[in-house]
Amino acid sequence: MASGTIVKGIGGFYYVKTENDSVYECRARGKFRKDKVTPLVGDIVEISVIDEEKKKGSLDIIFQRKNELLRPRVSNVDQAVIVFAAKSPAINTELLNRFIILAEQQHLDVIICINKIDISDEKFYGEIVDVYKNANFDVIPISAEKRINIDKLAQKLYGRISVFAGPSGVGKSSLLNAVDPSLKLNTGQISTKIERGKHTTRHAELMEISNSGYIVDSPGFTSLFLEDISKEELQNYYREFAPFVGKCRFSGCSHVHEPQCSVKEHVGREISHMRYESYVSIYNELNNERKK
């Protein structure tokens, strides 16, 4: 028996990197299918070695996961690196906020990278950086092309499992290649007509970076549906609300309609108008979904 981590899964085969740095191609035991359990990249597992020479094994045990993401399908992630571009395509803050909510729901640390700052006006992306820094997020203005602040991102990845997320065309793969050129990830071209990148990443895979951590590069996408989040818990995923929640006049305040709401009183000061308006929009969306 040997313990390890699933680093890749393709066509029913799971590639497990063990503690001695060997990678075994494994099939999962039938009991997982019977129990409707699908092994995921990132799972800590125990395997039986069937053929040492050919590095073949059987996946026997999946240990309890600390978290599980749906897209990409990956488990036991430490942090989310959410990548948007300062320009081409323009930052969609509504989409950025949704990425953050999903990361917060899974108790992931959040790093926000604003890429392509070399082709954007600092005044524009600087305002967005300030909004999220003031909301207590770790924000890195960065350029894969000019290698600006690549060292700062590399330090954040050290010793951790990080999932890279963001819409197509923002340069996730380019950033990863800048951090570790040995990855040699494919990068897509941006269509000047529709400003969407080609989907260059085909499956979730844990990739080791300079022997210092793992990253997951994931397919780009342009919308996120918050199906498993209730309107009542949404406030928990806007971290700048935390000092004011519980101080409203009414218990169970939604921070949308009620008077004498402590959260609303701080909009425009500790809470940005943009972030609050995003909260209200998503709250109403979740409220309408419940009524259906």
Side-chain angles (χ1 to χ4, degrees):
M1 303 287 283
S3 298
T5 302
I6 298 177
V7 295
K8 182 167 63 173
I10 299 177
F13 289 97
Y14 300 95
Y15 297 85
V16 178
K17 185 170 185 179
T18 59
E19 294 168 347
N20 64 3
D21 284 339
S22 295
V23 176
Y24 293 85
E25 181 184 83
C26 300
R27 283 280 196 182
R29 287 194 177 275
K31 66 179 181 179
F32 295 116
R33 190 180 303 107
K34 180 181 178 182
D35 296 338
K36 297 182 179 179
V37 174
T38 301
L40 297 179
V41 168
D43 278 345
I44 311 285
V45 299
E46 198 165 83
I47 67 171
S48 297
V49 177
I50 296 173
D51 188 325
E52 179 62 42
E53 184 178 349
K54 295 182 178 180
K55 293 294 187 284
K56 303 284 186 180
S58 169
L59 199 162
D60 300 331
I61 298 172
I62 299 175
F63 293 101
Q64 185 173 353
R65 298 161 178 161
K66 70 177 181 181
N67 55 40
E68 179 181 333
L69 307 187
L70 294 179
R71 184 172 183 184
R73 292 300 305 276
V74 63
S75 67
N76 299 320
V77 176
D78 296 311
Q79 62 187 6
V81 181
I82 303 173
V83 184
F84 275 71
K87 182 179 180 181
S88 186
I91 297 175
N92 180 336
T93 55
E94 180 67 16
L95 184 57
L96 173 54
N97 290 330
R98 288 171 181 259
F99 275 109
I100 290 171
I101 290 167
L102 292 180
E104 296 273 46
Q105 183 194 35
Q106 292 294 330
H107 307 290
L108 302 179
D109 293 338
V110 176
I111 299 169
I112 301 170
C113 285
I114 308 298
N115 192 24
K116 304 185 185 181
I117 62 171
D118 54 304
I119 61 171
S120 178
D121 183 347
E122 184 176 355
K123 183 176 183 295
F124 171 70
Y125 73 78
E127 291 176 356
I128 294 175
V129 169
D130 288 343
V131 164
Y132 287 95
K133 280 190 172 181
N134 291 337
N136 300 315
F137 289 102
D138 196 347
V139 187
I140 305 176
I142 202 164
S143 168
E145 179 71 22
K146 301 295 183 181
R147 297 194 59 83
I148 300 170
N149 287 334
I150 293 297
D151 56 334
K152 291 185 179 180
L153 175 58
Q155 290 171 7
K156 298 291 184 181
L157 302 179
Y158 184 83
R160 314 206 77 194
I161 296 179
S162 308
V163 60
F164 273 62
S168 297
V170 296
K172 298 188 298 296
S173 296
S174 296
L175 280 180
L176 290 169
N177 286 335
V179 168
D180 188 345
S182 69
L183 292 173
K184 298 180 181 178
L185 299 175
N186 292 328
T187 56
Q189 297 297 316
I190 299 271
S191 164
T192 56
K193 186 174 182 180
I194 62 173
E195 285 203 324
R196 288 183 183 176
K198 297 177 181 178
H199 291 208
T200 57
T201 309
R202 301 305 178 192
H203 58 270
E205 179 179 352
L206 283 189
M207 293 173 285
E208 194 169 10
I209 46 171
S210 303
N211 299 313
S212 63
Y214 288 98
I215 55 91
V216 183
D217 193 22
S218 61
F221 42 107
T222 54
S223 63
L224 287 173
F225 298 98
L226 307 177
E227 298 171 346
D228 299 322
I229 295 176
S230 69
K231 63 178 184 179
E232 289 80 11
E233 67 179 303
L234 180 64
Q235 64 180 346
N236 300 329
Y237 308 131
Y238 281 75
R239 56 177 66 175
E240 63 269 48
F241 288 14
F244 316 114
V245 170
K247 298 180 180 179
C248 305
R249 177 181 177 183
F250 298 100
S251 61
C253 182
S254 70
H255 318 305
V256 176
H257 307 294
E258 299 87 345
Q260 298 181 40
C261 166
S262 182
V263 168
K264 288 196 291 185
E265 288 171 358
H266 289 83
V267 173
R269 292 183 289 169
E270 294 91 340
I271 300 170
S272 77
H273 285 284
M274 180 273 285
R275 287 276 289 169
Y276 176 72
E277 289 165 6
S278 165
Y279 168 80
V280 172
S281 174
I282 295 173
Y283 180 92
N284 289 331
E285 175 187 314
L286 296 174
N287 190 38
N288 290 335
E289 285 295 320
R290 175 178 289 186
K291 293 176 180 178
K292 290 181 180 178

